[in-house]
Amino acid sequence: MLKNRTAIVTGSTSGIGLGIARALAADGANIMLNGFGNAAAIEAVKKEIAGLGATVDYHPADMTKPDQIADLIGATRTRFGAIDILVNNAGIQHVALIEDFPVERWDAIIAINLSSAFHTMKHALPLMKARNWGRVINIASAHGLVASAQKSAYVAAKHGIIGLTKAAALETAATGVTVNAICPGWVLTPLVQKQIDARAAEKGLAPDAAKRELLGEKQPSMEFVTPEQLGALAVFLCSDAAAQVRGASYVVDGGWTAQ
Ligand code: NAD
């Protein structure tokens, strides 16, 4: 379905972004990878994605740096001739009370989890509009819809990206470009593993008990969402069947926000 389409997935060296890159590649898209990691690990990801039949490249843009983001968009266009799909996925977390929250962490979370999507869209939307086809998928979170204590920056950024998604969807509503958000619940990636490890250390819990406690607080299914499930949803949002899905926030959260 996505043959001859080109996708940028920010933060695709790990976790959810990697799962989405795999799914888009398996469906035929060319992939521009992005994210941090050592050279050998990035090379391994490139090889794996190429093994799915995709033409693949990697750009090291730091999502806190608007000039590097502009270069990511420009380099992708030069390399592949177009940008059809943009997945704004890169994200980080920090857990602390507001009074203890380091200002530098607040700024980094807002920059990576929210502002980077403004910068990528600022450069990519004109290219998509000019060809009258495009798909932007912003990876928000259950925390884009409801809050948790000690996650002020993350919750603010994720609520923000849902608003940004709606505004961008309205600006493109009469075109072939759609803009939507996905709101996952807990997915067992390095970002969440860190929180499980912190919980286990703080409470003296075994890793499995810490996992169960984490799920039990928020996710009634008691199952993690998988990157594969999110990849399949991203492929659907890129399909013709989803051409009139605009400004939506798709919840994939094991029942988290149904409560
Ligand atoms: P992860 O830590 O596995 O992956 C994060 C990716 O972002 C990595 O590739 C990393 O290198 C990249 N990244 C971090 N800082 C960057 C920067 N400055 N510039 C470029 N790339 C950068 O995390 P994940 O869980 O896969 O998270 C991916 C997205 O999904 C995030 O936006 C996160 O908020 C969101 N999310 C995650 C969960 C979850 O439970 N894991 C739930 C809801 C939403």
Side-chain angles (χ1 to χ4, degrees):
M1 187 179 77
L2 298 179
K3 200 146 188 55
N4 299 323
R5 300 286 189 200
T6 293
I8 298 176
V9 186
T10 70
S12 46
T13 52
S14 168
I16 294 170
L18 179 53
I20 291 176
R22 281 188 187 121
L24 296 176
D27 216 73
N30 306 319
I31 306 290
M32 180 60 94
L33 297 164
N34 159 262
F36 297 150
N38 66 46
I42 289 167
E43 209 40 52
V45 171
K46 271 176 81 175
K47 252 202 190 127
E48 190 216 321
I49 301 286
L52 297 167
T55 306
V56 54
D57 210 337
Y58 165 80
H59 191 286
D62 178 341
M63 289 297 125
T64 64
K65 305 272 186 322
D67 55 333
Q68 294 186 23
I69 295 173
D71 192 61
L72 164 68
I73 304 295
T76 306
R77 190 192 189 191
T78 303
R79 171 74 171 82
F80 294 105
I83 294 153
D84 303 293
I85 299 163
L86 167 65
V87 182
N88 289 306
N89 165 80
I92 58 168
Q93 176 63 286
H94 187 82
V95 181
L97 294 172
I98 290 172
E99 55 266 42
D100 301 327
F101 216 92
V103 171
E104 167 278 322
R105 284 291 85 193
W106 170 275
D107 289 342
I109 290 175
I110 299 299
I112 298 167
N113 297 20
L114 175 58
S115 301
S116 72
F118 161 76
H119 293 294
T120 55
M121 285 197 288
K122 183 173 173 56
H123 298 293
L125 284 178
L127 304 176
M128 292 177 173
K129 282 182 182 172
R131 302 176 78 233
N132 202 33
W133 199 92
R135 296 288 189 266
V136 179
I137 301 171
N138 294 324
I139 306 306
S141 167
H143 281 121
L145 300 166
V146 295
S148 294
Q150 302 202 37
K151 294 186 176 174
S152 55
Y154 190 87
V155 167
K158 295 300 187 182
H159 275 66
I161 203 165
I162 288 180
L164 176 63
T165 300
K166 291 177 185 171
L170 291 178
E171 292 184 14
T172 52
T175 75
V177 181
T178 72
V179 185
N180 292 289
I182 296 178
C183 299
W186 292 123
V187 186
L188 191 51
T189 65
L191 182 144
V192 166
Q193 189 62 49
K194 264 188 225 154
Q195 296 173 60
I196 293 169
D197 294 346
R199 183 181 291 255
E202 189 192 325
K203 300 191 172 176
L205 293 171
D208 268 3
K211 253 183 221 172
R212 272 198 307 280
E213 197 184 271
L214 180 110
L215 286 170
E217 277 175 7
K218 301 283 184 187
Q219 199 145 303
S221 68
M222 292 302 286
E223 303 262 4
F224 287 100
V225 177
T226 67
E228 291 74 21
Q229 290 163 346
L230 299 172
L233 176 54
V235 169
F236 166 70
L237 288 172
C238 292
S239 71
D240 290 341
Q244 291 309 323
V245 179
R246 294 173 184 269
S249 300
Y250 262 86
V251 165
V252 188
D253 68 357
W256 181 322
T257 55
Q259 299 168 95

